[in-house]
Amino acid sequence: MEPAGAEPLLKEFAPKVAWDPEVEAYLRGALGDERFERTAAALCRPPRTTSFRVNTLRASPSEVVAAVRQQLGPEAAEGVVSIHPQVPCVVLLRGSGPHAVDYGAAGGREVVVSRKAAEAVLRGAPVYAPGVLAASGGVGRGDLVALAAALERPGTDTPEITRGTTLYDSARAAAAAATAAGSAAAGGSDAAATVAAAAPAGRATEAADMVSAEVAEAEAACGPQAGQAGAAAAAPAAMEEGNGPQEEGEAGAAAGADAGSRDGTATASTSAVARPAEAGAAPGGAETLSLRARRRQRHRQHQQQLQQGGPGAPEQLRHKGRQQAGPAGPAAAPAAAIGTGTRAAAGAPDSSGGAGAQQPLPLPPGWTASSQGPVPPRTGLYVGLARAVMGRQEMFRAREGLALELVQPVFAVPPAVSGLPPGWGMLQNLPSVVAALVLAAPVPVPGRVSEGPGGQLPGGGLRPGLAAGMRVLDMCAAPGGKTTLIAALMGDVGEVVAFDRTHAKVGEVVALAREMGVTCVTAQKMDAGRALALPAAAGRPVGGGAADAGADADAEEAAGPERSQQLQQQPGPQPVSEKARRREERRRANMLKRGIVPPEPAAAAAGQPGSFPPESFDALLLDAPCSALGLRPRLQQQAGALYLRQCAAAQRRLVDGAVRLLRPGGAMVYSTCTINPGENEAVVRYLLDKYGAAMQLVAAGPPFLGGPGLVGRHPTAAEPGVPATAAAGAAGAAAGGHAGTGGGSGDGADSGGERWLTEAEAALVQRFDPAAGAGAGGGDDVAADHIGFFVAKFVKTGPVPWES
């Protein structure tokens, strides 16, 4: 797939991900240069261990292990499938990589897929038709192809390659073009003369079309370059639209008559002599090309320009595709040849010695010619050798179905467990399972002082974090893995309320709960930030009452008729038409059919901001929406500093509601899937500073699989992309507050960079480092190879006043 004259494209998996400059500077200051480099390299690779969480309500881990080993076959080694030693409900499927792949078997054929499809391939999935963007011409079923990834344009979700693009094998096309050019130069002129002589007078256009058809056939058989050489030899009179100079006098008139007969109009620069010839050509039966034919001609010219290495200077066209007036006379010939970029004037010799033939312009190293223009290089983004299940055209026409299956993957990840009975379990990242298990871990009884890293008391004083009959809230539940695990830990006795913002995500939770056989899950479409029923302004109770009615009446009488009309238009119970009532009934019936609990109509009519009063839940899980900078693999990072700040602000708003929804004595777990300390340690610092009198940070475990949190403060930034003052930075440096040193002040001072945790607090949280087990050589602990994650646990020791 390398263009002629270009450097060979190195096919390997060695991605170099570019970060937003502000985000990179912030993370380097937080993690240090060495740790950031290791983390960034690990995020490009998939975890070599796949976690299968067992649904203990329907199967045991030993049953799952036996079934998986039978499915993988006897070739699977003993250590490939095993039960996690610290998390008994998780079955580990161990993989390996990266491996060297021999792409020579592909024979130059290549298929480019989207970034998300390539990331799924790295985790062991095949390629489905919607993920295919480009393919080499002639790829058929059963062919081996090199599989590469295409990134998105910076700041967008649009891939750099348009779906349906055909990649040109420029080396083979150049050889075919040279052969076709030689044969066309020998016999093309004679064929053109024979066709022109056989055509009767007045049918010159039809003869030219026959020559153009031969050129098109040559292009189809031997590639655009061969068609170009054949056109230069067989059509020296510039039979295609806009090619060749326009001369003054009789020669210019003849050329103008020919162009006018094909395009439907003559160029404005044609002299008056052209008009008699034009008028005489029409009775002879000259046929005009249709709009579709003219578009095909222009498209063929454009493709030839791109095949030669660049768009060139496109010819100037009017609104309907007609060639605009250009300079007349001999001076127009070189301008036309340069403007089209496809072929020189008829009979004009070039540097190569051929008549009218141009050498293709070289492409930049790594770029590939295609039907959509030069394609950017995929250096370092090849993810494996695959076998085509569909042909090239079928890949682009199909909307679903398997398109490619991996033969030699870069990472040998065990395949997804698809042959198990429904409801036995699901694929789930290990840190995500740990977050739910941490919520179920024993917690100290409120009112006593905890001692030791585990929060244990000398005389006991512990109670379970989850128990049968409790009412638990999962504030951001989709897709429902942690929700169903919480229900299983409670023995499916009690109530697990699951929130999410869209019907589609709520439907995912309901579908998974049905598959797992869980009945205590209640899924609701709810914005978790608005789930708390806040009191009205000035102490007015939610929903109104007699006192509110009197206050409204006094305000209405004092404000006059205009204010009275505005108060009557405020949200409140309003009469509903019969059509709106039937529509609402249908909507509620559809939600109930899908297993979604619709909101109470009374609460919606009263305009209440939430449906749950304070202290409604015994336990709470807040797996907050985040920047997802810990997910693996990620071949492109486009998150900016502003987005990271917005995520942190939204998480603090969710924390404010979660603290009040939790009952005293209840446990709360806060988790994210990001490595950004502004969304992890900084949020914990915010909760402790604001609600420290009512919330206690306790040990996030067992199990303890992650490392400690970051200590101190950021040395240079108050937030991602927001530098701290020079004096504050100097104070933070003097206090030894660099991340990872463990010497941060951790006090309540407001000066300095972004504040994190003290040493004692950092030992209570779990930070999962994605680089912990993802060594480049593959020699590190595979079981510790996981995504980036963060878990912190709190116990509510008392009520939270509304003023806080």
Side-chain angles (χ1 to χ4, degrees):
M1 297 302 301
E2 294 80 22
E7 297 180 2
L9 183 61
L10 185 60
K11 295 180 179 179
E12 63 176 359
F13 182 76
K16 297 180 180 179
V17 178
W19 294 70
D20 178 85
E22 292 181 341
V23 174
E24 180 175 353
Y26 170 79
L27 292 178
R28 284 185 180 274
L31 304 176
D33 291 338
E34 181 182 357
R35 186 175 179 181
F36 172 78
E37 293 292 344
R38 289 190 291 105
T39 301
L43 292 176
C44 300
R45 301 189 296 268
R48 288 170 290 167
T49 301
T50 301
S51 300
F52 183 84
R53 195 260 295 175
V54 180
N55 180 18
T56 55
L57 297 177
R58 290 193 172 181
S60 65
S62 58
E63 291 176 336
V64 174
V65 169
V68 172
R69 287 178 178 173
Q70 182 179 3
Q71 179 181 349
L72 295 180
E75 64 276 3
E78 183 67 23
V80 172
V81 184
S82 61
I83 300 176
H84 196 286
Q86 298 184 26
V87 188
C89 64
V90 171
V91 174
L92 297 179
L93 307 175
R94 300 171 186 264
S96 61
H99 301 285
V101 178
D102 181 16
Y103 293 102
R109 292 179 295 269
E110 183 176 341
V111 172
V112 182
V113 299
S114 65
R115 174 186 61 84
K116 293 182 179 180
E119 292 171 353
V121 167
L122 291 174
R123 298 212 67 170
V127 179
Y128 296 91
V132 179
L133 298 180
S136 301
V139 172
R141 296 184 180 181
D143 290 343
L144 293 177
V145 297
L147 198 61
L151 303 180
E152 287 95 355
R153 293 185 176 91
T156 68
D157 294 332
T158 305
E160 294 178 336
I161 301 178
T162 305
R163 176 170 165 80
T165 299
T166 300
L167 302 177
Y168 294 148
D169 191 342
S170 301
R172 290 186 293 182
T179 304
S183 53
S189 301
D190 296 338
T194 303
V195 173
R203 302 289 292 178
T205 304
E206 185 175 354
D209 291 339
M210 296 174 64
V211 176
S212 299
E214 293 184 1
V215 174
E217 292 179 0
E219 288 183 355
C222 304
Q225 294 180 347
Q228 168 190 339
M239 304 306 298
E240 293 194 14
E241 174 189 356
N243 288 335
Q246 297 177 354
E247 304 285 351
E248 291 185 348
E250 295 183 358
D258 187 26
S261 64
R262 300 193 61 181
D263 191 59
T265 181
T267 57
S269 63
T270 306
S271 62
V273 185
R275 296 188 180 90
E278 205 175 326
E287 300 176 358
T288 61
L289 287 179
S290 65
L291 178 61
R292 181 177 296 179
R294 294 199 302 273
R295 287 177 177 173
R296 285 199 297 266
Q297 287 181 349
R298 290 193 298 273
H299 178 71
R300 185 162 56 250
Q301 293 176 1
H302 180 64
Q303 296 304 322
Q304 291 171 353
Q305 295 170 7
L306 297 179
Q307 179 66 16
Q308 292 183 3
E315 63 177 351
Q316 296 181 353
L317 300 177
R318 286 180 180 169
H319 178 67
K320 294 185 178 180
R322 299 173 181 173
Q323 185 179 1
Q324 290 187 351
I338 296 175
T340 57
T342 56
R343 59 177 66 96
D350 60 0
S351 59
S352 63
Q358 281 188 336
Q359 296 298 325
L361 299 177
L363 289 175
W367 288 67
T368 306
S370 73
S371 60
Q372 300 295 332
V375 173
R378 282 86 57 203
T379 305
L381 295 176
Y382 285 84
V383 296
L385 186 69
R387 188 182 304 277
V389 180
M390 297 180 178
R392 186 185 65 85
Q393 294 184 355
E394 190 178 359
M395 292 180 189
F396 298 140
R397 292 174 179 174
R399 296 186 177 181
E400 58 183 10
L402 182 64
L404 298 153
E405 56 184 4
L406 270 294
V407 177
Q408 295 183 26
V410 174
F411 286 88
V413 179
V417 182
S418 57
L420 297 179
W424 274 30
M426 60 175 292
L427 295 177
Q428 190 172 359
N429 287 310
L430 180 61
S432 177
V433 178
V434 170
L437 296 178
V438 167
L439 182 63
V443 296
V445 176
R448 300 188 182 184
V449 180
S450 62
E451 296 180 359
Q456 299 181 358
L457 300 178
L462 295 177
R463 68 170 185 82
L466 291 178
M470 283 187 173
R471 192 185 193 193
V472 184
L473 174 62
D474 189 352
M475 294 189 70
C476 305
K482 290 182 285 294
T483 306
T484 54
L485 178 55
I486 290 173
L489 293 174
M490 295 169 55
D492 201 20
V493 178
E495 182 182 13
V496 180
V497 180
F499 289 165
D500 222 293
R501 298 185 60 177
T502 64
H503 287 295
K505 291 185 176 181
V506 172
E508 293 178 2
V509 177
V510 172
L512 184 60
R514 288 176 177 174
E515 180 182 350
M516 297 290 182
V518 175
T519 59
C520 67
V521 173
T522 304
Q524 296 188 20
K525 177 181 176 295
M526 176 76 69
D527 183 356
R530 300 176 180 270
L532 180 64
L534 299 174
R540 291 173 55 182
V542 177
D548 301 319
D552 290 342
D554 295 340
E556 179 179 349
E557 181 178 357
E562 295 182 358
R563 178 58 178 165
S564 175
Q565 185 177 4
Q566 294 178 1
L567 290 175
Q568 292 178 1
Q569 295 177 355
Q570 288 182 350
Q574 301 291 337
V576 181
S577 65
E578 183 65 20
K579 181 178 180 180
R581 186 186 62 80
R582 291 196 300 267
R583 182 171 61 248
E584 178 65 18
E585 290 179 354
R586 290 194 300 268
R587 186 181 72 86
R588 294 174 63 85
N590 291 333
M591 294 176 64
L592 291 173
K593 187 182 300 184
R594 297 196 301 269
I596 303 173
V597 179
E600 293 294 334
Q608 294 182 5
S611 301
F612 293 91
E615 302 179 358
S616 296
F617 298 96
D618 301 303
L620 189 146
L621 173 63
L622 175 54
D623 186 37
C626 62
S627 58
L629 294 183
L631 295 185
R632 301 171 55 191
R634 283 294 181 266
L635 302 178
Q636 191 171 15
Q637 299 284 358
Q638 299 204 59
L642 176 60
Y643 178 64
L644 266 59
R645 294 196 298 270
Q646 292 173 343
C647 288
Q651 291 154 1
R652 296 183 183 192
R653 182 171 64 91
L654 293 175
V655 164
D656 291 335
V659 168
R660 291 183 168 88
L661 286 171
L662 185 64
R663 291 172 182 166
M668 168 184 164
V669 166
Y670 173 82
S671 63
T672 67
C673 58
T674 182
I675 62 173
N676 174 25
E679 303 174 62
N680 296 334
E681 287 86 354
V683 174
V684 174
R685 178 81 274 146
Y686 165 81
L687 189 151
L688 294 177
D689 290 346
K690 188 172 183 179
Y691 305 105
M695 299 293 292
Q696 178 186 357
L697 181 67
V698 297
F704 298 96
L705 301 180
L710 300 183
V711 176
R713 65 178 78 245
H714 196 285
T716 59
E719 283 182 309
V722 179
T725 61
H738 193 281
T741 61
S745 61
D747 54 12
D750 295 331
S751 61
E754 181 181 70
R755 297 174 55 246
W756 299 327
L757 304 176
T758 64
E759 290 187 4
E761 294 167 345
L764 297 177
V765 304
Q766 292 197 57
R767 169 178 274 269
F768 291 82
D769 187 359
D780 294 342
D781 185 11
V782 177
D785 198 4
H786 39 60
I787 66 172
F789 211 80
F790 180 84
V791 181
K793 185 175 183 180
F794 305 87
V795 172
K796 190 171 184 178
T797 58
V800 176
W802 286 109
E803 293 76 13
S804 62

